[in-house]
Amino acid sequence: MRCEIDKKGNQPAYLQLYRQLREDIVAGAYPYRAKLPSKRSGYFVTYRESDGFAVLPESAPPVLLPPRAPENEFPFSVFAKTMRRVLSRYGERLLVKSPNNGLPELRDLPLELSGEDEDDDTL
């Protein structure tokens, strides 16, 4: 494993490490279910080439999260009621890992529900 951290670079060390590990995994240096080097607990590769990998260009701007809504705009009682309803309806199914290529229910949404424009071929 090659890990070269540029301490004078403008990227944080964790991002440099992440990108190098990702490149090694995608290149096949660590096959599926291989144990990754670790000082503490064991981590295993769960990536298979057939899973695909979303890659942003290096020059992509960072994703900025919208500011939180003021607490009085979304009452806690509504949130709590919704959480109880979801937990009682779905139970332990909420803890099941989603497939790497997304849930079929969401992948198969009609375009008008997904928010995408049929004529938009910029992807």
Side-chain angles (χ1 to χ4, degrees):
M1 178 175 130
R2 61 157 187 86
C3 280
E4 299 171 11
I5 304 299
D6 180 9
K7 294 180 181 178
K8 295 179 182 176
N10 59 353
Q11 286 188 336
Y14 76 92
L15 279 179
Q16 295 178 46
L17 178 62
Y18 163 75
R19 288 193 170 113
Q20 291 176 33
L21 269 174
R22 181 185 69 191
E23 289 170 8
D24 287 348
I25 290 170
V26 171
Y30 299 102
Y32 179 67
R33 294 194 177 178
K35 187 175 186 301
L36 293 174
S38 173
K39 287 187 176 185
R40 295 190 182 111
S41 59
Y43 294 96
F44 295 87
V45 176
T46 59
Y47 168 80
R48 290 178 287 225
E49 191 171 346
S50 61
D51 293 337
F53 205 98
V55 179
L56 288 175
E58 293 291 327
S59 62
V63 176
L64 301 175
L65 299 175
R68 287 180 51 187
E71 292 180 21
N72 59 353
E73 285 190 25
F74 192 81
F76 179 77
S77 60
V78 174
F79 172 74
K81 181 179 177 182
T82 303
M83 287 300 295
R84 283 192 300 272
R85 188 177 71 227
V86 168
L87 287 170
S88 67
R89 183 178 296 168
Y90 297 102
E92 290 186 12
R93 288 186 290 168
L94 293 170
L95 304 175
V96 175
K97 182 185 179 300
S98 300
N100 287 342
N101 59 350
L103 293 170
E105 297 89 356
L106 298 176
R107 281 196 324 263
D108 300 335
L109 276 178
L111 283 176
E112 63 270 7
L113 293 179
S114 69
E116 293 183 20
D117 187 3
E118 283 186 72
D119 297 329
D120 186 11
D121 58 356
T122 59
L123 296 178

